[in-house]
Amino acid sequence: MSQPPPSAPPKSERWTVASLARAAGVAASTVSRALRNDPRISPDVRDRIVALAQEVGYTPNILARSLVGGSSGLIGLVLGPVDNPFYAELMQRAVTQAAARGWRLLLVHAGPGPIEQATADALLQYRVDGCLITSAELSSRAARICRDNQVPLVMVNRVAWEHGSAVSCDNDAAGALLADLLIEAGHRRLAVVSGNPTTSTSIERADGFIRRVRAAGLPEPLRFGGVNSHAKGFEAGQVIAALPAPDRPDAVLGVSDLIAMGIMDALREAGIAVPGEISVVGIDGVAAARRPPYRMTTVAQPLEDMMERALDLLNARMNGVHRADEVVTLRGDLVIGQSARLPARLTAG
């Protein structure tokens, strides 16, 4: 004998555990247990409820379930400016790897600058099980919020000064490596275009680069910057191009690929050959920097490994394993392009 069709809730409402229970003629607790495959529910009843849920297109309310079970399965993702291709690539890896672990990402902030109040509210209102912060501001506001509300936190591509574990590329080593290669290739007048002055990535990359230039006994590098953007790189490139030829640097580090692409565009617009007259290098390894017309020499961040380590750290803390805050640094990979004159040993053959 066929079952009568389920009685749908009013059109203004969606199917819930309560409406499923009414349609199935059972208690709401029975529906909840059946959908969790609780062994206390008989196979026949469980199969009937599961079939009904599939028939009506029921999906669980994750936020409501978190009020009961204490776990939402949601991971908050605080993202940097999405006009920077680095953050788009980082987000893609975060989504893929989180899904493989059965987690869902909730994008709670995307943009430059410190954490806003709306972001802080979202971290708490959506009852995230943990949080990943990838934006580069050193402001520890979000870190304090997570700490005060027992929300596990791991930072990716940044390090906070006060609280929280982090996974980062070895930014100091990346800057130092590029300086060494440029100096070995014969460059003697160097410059660095930094990003935001309060970001760990920008500070560390510039510091590593400048330290190696000083160690080689060369003149102090020219310094430009202030914002991590193509526009700021372009502006710095225009200033460099306007310098008298004897005063121009013969090599420039953009502390991000985005900045370095802006520098290259400005120099070429001014008729200055890259790398014939000025070499340009970056750090990040974004796909856009490897394509024409840039084909940039850069140090690529190991994004896949960084995200895997970050989620491992977060998982341990979400499972209640007590761990001291830690900072994991991973070496980047040198990508040899055509934007800089490099030592012959790297370009031969």
Side-chain angles (χ1 to χ4, degrees):
M1 182 175 176
S2 61
Q3 294 286 335
S7 177
K11 289 185 179 181
S12 60
E13 299 178 11
R14 60 178 289 177
W15 282 93
T16 65
V17 168
S19 57
L20 281 176
R22 288 194 298 270
V26 298
S29 60
T30 301
V31 172
S32 296
R33 289 169 180 163
L35 296 178
R36 293 199 307 268
N37 202 27
D38 191 313
R40 289 175 291 181
I41 304 300
S42 70
D44 289 345
V45 173
R46 182 172 63 247
D47 290 347
R48 181 163 61 86
I49 292 173
V50 169
L52 174 62
Q54 292 175 340
E55 179 183 352
V56 301
Y58 167 78
T59 56
N61 185 328
I62 293 175
L63 300 182
R65 187 171 64 190
S66 72
L67 296 174
V68 178
S71 175
S72 66
L74 292 174
I75 304 299
L77 177 63
V78 180
L79 199 67
V82 291
D83 58 349
N84 184 340
F86 170 78
Y87 288 110
E89 294 182 16
L90 189 62
M91 180 174 65
Q92 181 181 13
R93 286 164 174 81
V95 170
T96 300
Q97 292 197 27
R101 296 171 185 248
W103 302 340
R104 298 182 182 182
L105 289 182
L106 176 69
L107 183 61
V108 293
H109 176 83
I115 303 302
E116 300 172 351
Q117 185 61 44
T119 299
D121 292 341
L123 287 173
L124 304 181
Q125 291 173 354
Y126 286 94
R127 302 178 64 89
V128 295
D129 294 337
C131 186
L132 294 173
I133 296 182
T134 72
S135 59
E137 291 286 344
L138 284 177
S139 167
S140 293
R141 175 172 172 75
R144 290 196 302 270
I145 292 168
C146 289
R147 177 195 60 201
D148 294 344
N149 290 274
Q150 292 78 52
V151 176
L153 164 70
V154 175
M155 302 178 190
V156 187
N157 185 50
R158 63 153 287 178
V159 178
W161 288 348
E162 296 181 12
H163 166 74
S165 294
V167 178
S168 174
C169 179
D170 192 335
N171 293 300
D172 185 282
L177 171 63
L178 291 169
D180 287 343
L181 293 177
L182 292 171
I183 293 168
E184 183 183 344
H187 299 86
R188 293 296 178 264
R189 302 186 308 279
L190 293 95
V192 57
V193 182
S194 299
N196 301 325
T198 58
T199 64
S200 59
T201 48
S202 178
I203 293 169
E204 292 166 1
R205 292 171 183 182
D207 284 352
F209 186 84
I210 292 170
R211 185 182 69 254
R212 299 304 299 161
V213 174
R214 289 172 177 167
L218 296 177
E220 187 75 6
L222 295 175
R223 304 187 69 167
F224 307 89
V227 177
N228 184 20
S229 67
H230 179 280
K232 181 57 66 172
F234 191 89
E235 179 183 312
Q238 288 178 313
V239 174
I240 292 170
L243 292 172
D247 298 332
R248 284 184 203 140
D250 54 13
V252 184
L253 166 70
V255 297
S256 72
D257 287 349
L258 188 64
I259 289 175
M261 287 188 285
I263 296 168
M264 291 179 67
D265 288 338
L267 293 177
R268 287 171 171 167
E269 185 177 89
I272 295 174
V274 178
E277 297 176 73
I278 300 179
S279 291
V280 179
V281 294
I283 301 176
D284 276 336
V286 300
R290 304 189 193 191
R291 302 188 186 111
Y294 303 107
R295 294 190 177 92
M296 188 178 299
T297 292
T298 182
V299 174
Q301 296 205 59
L303 294 186
E304 204 73 35
D305 292 338
M306 287 168 59
M307 187 55 61
E308 182 178 0
R309 294 292 295 274
L311 293 177
D312 284 344
L313 291 176
L314 191 61
N315 186 54
R317 284 152 179 77
M318 286 164 49
N319 288 329
V321 178
H322 176 71
R323 297 283 175 85
D325 289 343
E326 56 188 306
V327 176
V328 177
T329 55
L330 304 177
R331 287 275 178 164
D333 298 317
L334 177 64
V335 177
I336 298 175
Q338 299 175 15
S339 65
R341 288 173 281 121
L342 299 175
R345 63 181 177 83
L346 296 179
T347 57

